[in-house]
Amino acid sequence: MRTRPDRGRSALGPALELVHTGRAPTRAVLTAELGVTRATAGAVAAELQSLGLITVDSGPAISAGAQGRPSHRLSVDPDGPVVLAAQVHSDGFRAALVGLGGRVVATDPGCGTVDADPAQVLGEVVAAGVRLLRSTGRRCVGAGLAVPSAVAEPEGTALNPLHLAWPAGAPVREIFARCLADAGVPGPAPGSTAAGFAANDVNLGALAEHRHGAGRGARQLLCVATGHRGVGGALVLDGRLHSGSSGLALEVGHLTVDPQGRPCHCGSRGCLDVETDPLALLEAAGRDPGPEVSLLDQARDLLCGDLAADPAVRSATRLLIDRLGLGLAGLVNILDPDRIILGGLHRELLLADPERLRQTVADRSLWGRSGGVPVLACTLDHNSLVGAAELAWQPVLDDPSVLLGQ
């Protein structure tokens, strides 16, 4: 069994996170970021390489006009271990294998319907992940799950899966862990079974965007997104998700943006959840949703295909943009973020008329008038999946030596 060198022992985790998030592309940058000697940084990089987590390019090309000895390039190992990541939503589920750096190695589209029994669904999710592991032959070191519900901490229960037929308070983390154990999906420690991490899908999407996408570098990142049904929000503060005292913070879908609007599943009316999701766009445009593809795909097709030609679609788009802008402005006044990112259909609404949405936020928010908060589109495909992977990778990022002996 390999043993970890004494020198730089406490730097292994921080070093891996720097390479994982792209903030240490060379050994020289790693040395500066860690505040250690060049020799220590070299020893740390070598140990991470021996664990199969990163690669060290010991003979990088010298660029024209460069001065001095070039620094070794660092990157995540493309053939390194993976985690099993999964996302459940109202139109089905998807499983994937995700490596360090947020790199999706393989995906399984899963099913198009979600059973009312969480154990049945999560058993299918894990089975899909096991098929991917077998077909790719990759080493698995953990598993994470994204669900469309607030997930209470520390119990790991899905409190309000409003757009699924699951019972309120379903113990999704416990069920997921049991399915992983039954399937023998390994965790990071030698001989262990994957722990089965689970969290809200928008929270995880925000975490992934902060580490690998449109949220990089933000100190106070607000994410608002609508996927297949409903609206979720998340706040990342100095690199950490703000989940509140029990995991229930940022349920932004239940901000009222039209007091006379549609009835909401929460019992109120005119919530962001029902005024700016894909079904709201279809209904506002006078379109009957069909069963052939997901509501999200139908709404996207409407924006891509009919926005320019159909006045009803243009009117519906403006209505949703104004409702969304009103909700975002309220959040700006409360949270004072330094960046807002939008995902799902909200991303498409921003791209359809960025000036209208940004102006609505500025006009309706106190701080928006004093210079504006950047409003950007999420950039990662399947960011909730990548975020679920971040949950599973975290024990390794905290202490890469858990992999010793595998």
Side-chain angles (χ1 to χ4, degrees):
M1 179 184 296
R2 292 187 299 266
T3 58
R4 189 168 57 171
D6 290 336
R7 186 176 3 177
R9 175 173 297 182
S10 63
L12 278 180
L16 181 59
E17 183 164 341
L18 286 166
V19 179
H20 169 62
T21 55
R23 290 178 290 154
T26 67
R27 199 171 68 181
V29 175
L30 182 68
T31 301
E33 289 287 335
L34 293 177
V36 298
T37 66
R38 184 172 166 181
T40 297
V44 168
E47 180 62 13
L48 292 175
Q49 184 176 33
S50 73
L51 289 170
L53 297 172
I54 73 169
T55 63
V56 180
D57 185 348
S58 59
I62 303 175
S63 59
Q67 298 291 320
R69 184 164 55 177
S71 181
H72 296 174
R73 288 196 293 261
L74 307 178
S75 59
V76 299
D77 189 337
D79 299 317
V82 296
V83 296
L84 191 165
Q87 180 183 10
V88 177
H89 51 74
S90 61
D91 291 315
F93 70 78
R94 180 179 291 271
L97 303 182
V98 183
L100 284 168
R103 182 175 45 86
V104 178
V105 173
T107 62
D108 184 307
C111 69
T113 59
V114 176
D115 193 90
D117 179 6
Q120 175 67 29
V121 178
L122 298 185
E124 294 176 11
V125 164
V126 172
V130 169
R131 288 195 299 271
L132 290 174
L133 289 170
R134 288 174 178 165
S135 65
T136 61
R138 302 299 285 262
R139 176 171 56 134
C140 181
V141 296
L145 172 70
V147 293
S149 167
V151 176
E153 297 294 347
E155 301 88 353
T157 54
L159 289 188
N160 59 342
L162 296 177
H163 303 292
L164 302 178
W166 292 359
V172 291
R173 185 177 302 155
E174 176 186 329
I175 295 170
F176 187 45
R178 186 166 64 244
C179 291
L180 292 166
D182 291 344
V185 177
S192 69
T193 299
F197 298 96
N200 171 262
D201 52 1
V202 178
N203 276 355
L204 295 179
L207 181 62
E209 292 285 346
H210 186 271
R211 291 184 176 180
H212 307 292
R216 280 191 187 189
R219 291 188 60 252
Q220 312 260 354
L221 176 67
L222 172 64
C223 176
V224 177
T226 177
H228 295 260
R229 290 294 307 277
V231 173
L235 187 65
V236 182
L237 301 177
D238 293 322
R240 297 291 178 183
L241 275 171
H242 173 70
S243 55
S245 61
S246 56
L248 309 181
L250 272 291
E251 281 292 300
V252 304
H254 301 291
L255 288 173
T256 299
V257 292
D258 180 7
Q260 308 305 317
R262 297 173 176 82
C264 182
H265 309 276
C266 71
S268 186
R269 300 185 71 90
C271 294
L272 207 60
D273 204 67
V274 292
E275 295 293 340
T276 66
D277 78 343
L279 183 60
L281 179 66
L282 294 169
E283 290 181 345
R287 305 301 175 88
D288 294 325
E292 297 82 10
V293 296
S294 72
L295 292 172
L296 179 58
D297 287 338
Q298 292 177 62
R300 281 174 169 162
D301 290 344
L302 202 63
L303 287 176
C304 293
D306 298 340
L307 182 60
D310 192 326
V313 175
R314 289 199 301 275
S315 176
T317 301
R318 288 194 294 268
L319 177 64
L320 261 70
I321 286 174
D322 291 346
R323 296 281 190 246
L324 176 59
L326 180 61
L328 293 177
L331 292 168
V332 167
N333 290 338
I334 296 168
L335 301 173
D336 188 24
D338 62 354
R339 193 180 309 174
I340 300 170
I341 57 173
L342 302 179
L345 182 63
H346 291 169
R347 176 184 184 276
E348 309 305 326
L349 292 172
L350 171 64
L351 297 177
D353 195 342
E355 184 56 34
R356 186 183 185 96
L357 180 56
R358 289 171 177 142
Q359 192 61 50
T360 301
V361 175
D363 289 346
R364 293 283 191 159
S365 62
L366 173 63
W367 305 117
R369 292 182 184 276
S370 62
V373 180
V375 182
L376 307 175
C378 288
T379 57
L380 298 178
D381 292 332
H382 311 303
N383 58 16
S384 292
L385 268 179
V386 175
E390 292 296 315
L391 281 186
W393 272 117
Q394 196 58 54
V396 178
L397 294 172
D398 290 339
D399 183 8
S401 70
V402 296
L403 299 181
L404 285 171
Q406 282 207 0

